[in-house]
């Protein structure tokens, strides 16, 4: 006679090695009318709740500890970056070269930006100087303005990029 588990509908086979009171598939206990009762020390059928220690409290504690470490460690990280910013601000402004033309509106905006922020720069007119034109081409310039700040090249008018590169030396 085959037994069917009321929990998972598994049909018990003659070759199954689980006790008669337990389903071989889902391992849940079921009692047949003629079968012996399960052992008395087996009180809870299903997941053992007592072995789950910590639960959400453990994860909450871990989250609080990580949050506190981040919150109190943040000033240490800011102090580590501060000397580099102070060193950059106290050092000499990098060389700034503007490759431009006299008629270009964006070149004019770049000149005004440099003047308003007290940036020292050298201007090279690529229409007046063949050396400036060759250097402009060597830097990969296809248009004007082309701005060189130290080792960085800014192609076209890009105030955000200029502010980022020249931040410590800007007046405003």
């Amino acid at each position: 006679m085959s037994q069917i588990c009321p929990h998972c509908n598994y049909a018990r086979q003659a070759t199954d090695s689980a006790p008669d009171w337990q389903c071989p598939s889902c391992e849940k206990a079921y009692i047949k009318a003629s079968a012996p009762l399960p052992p008395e020390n087996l009180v809870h059928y299903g997941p053992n709740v007592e072995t789950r220690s910590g639960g959400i409290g453990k994860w909450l504690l871990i989250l609080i500890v990580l949050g506190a470490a981040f919150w109190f460690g943040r000033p240490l990280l800011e102090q580590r970056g501060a000397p580099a910013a102070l060193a950059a601000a106290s050092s000499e402004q990098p060389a700034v070269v503007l490759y431009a033309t006299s008629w270009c509106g964006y070149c004019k905006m770049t000149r005004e930006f440099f003047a308003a922020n007290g940036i020292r720069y050298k201007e090279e007119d690529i229409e007046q100087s063949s050396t400036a034109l060759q250097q402009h081409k060597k830097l990969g310039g296809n248009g004007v303005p082309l701005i060189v700040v130290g080792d960085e090249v800014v192609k076209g008018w890009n105030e955000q990029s200029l502010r980022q590169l020249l931040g410590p030396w800007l007046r405003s």
Side-chain angles (χ1 to χ4, degrees), residues 11-110:
R12 188 175 187 92
Q13 306 295 321
T15 58
D16 289 334
S17 61
D20 288 342
W21 54 266
Q22 185 178 25
C23 173
S25 175
C26 67
E27 297 182 354
K28 289 194 177 184
Y30 57 86
I31 299 175
K32 296 185 337 185
S34 63
L37 292 174
E40 288 185 27
N41 63 355
L42 184 63
V43 177
H44 180 64
Y45 307 121
N48 191 353
V49 177
E50 294 174 14
T51 59
R52 292 184 190 169
S53 62
I56 196 166
K58 176 177 69 173
W59 291 108
L60 186 60
L61 180 63
I62 290 172
L63 185 62
I64 289 171
V65 168
L66 288 174
F70 174 74
W71 183 260
F72 292 111
R74 193 177 63 203
L76 297 174
L77 294 173
E78 290 171 359
Q79 287 176 355
R80 192 178 303 160
L86 290 175
S90 64
S91 68
E92 189 68 25
Q93 172 193 316
V96 179
V97 180
L98 169 64
Y99 293 93
T101 60
S102 58
W103 50 265
C104 170
Y106 290 110
C107 300
K108 180 180 178 185
M109 288 171 56
T110 306

Side-chain angles (χ1 to χ4, degrees), residues 96-100 104 106-107 110 114 135-149 151-162 165:
V96 179
V97 180
L98 169 64
Y99 293 93
C104 170
Y106 290 110
C107 300
T110 306
F114 287 157
Q135 189 64 26
H136 177 264
K137 296 287 183 196
K138 197 182 291 185
L139 292 168
N142 291 328
V144 286
L146 181 96
I147 306 144
V148 180
V149 179
D151 296 332
E152 299 291 324
V153 177
V154 179
K155 295 180 180 180
W157 166 245
N158 187 339
E159 183 176 354
Q160 181 181 5
S161 182
L162 290 174
L165 292 171

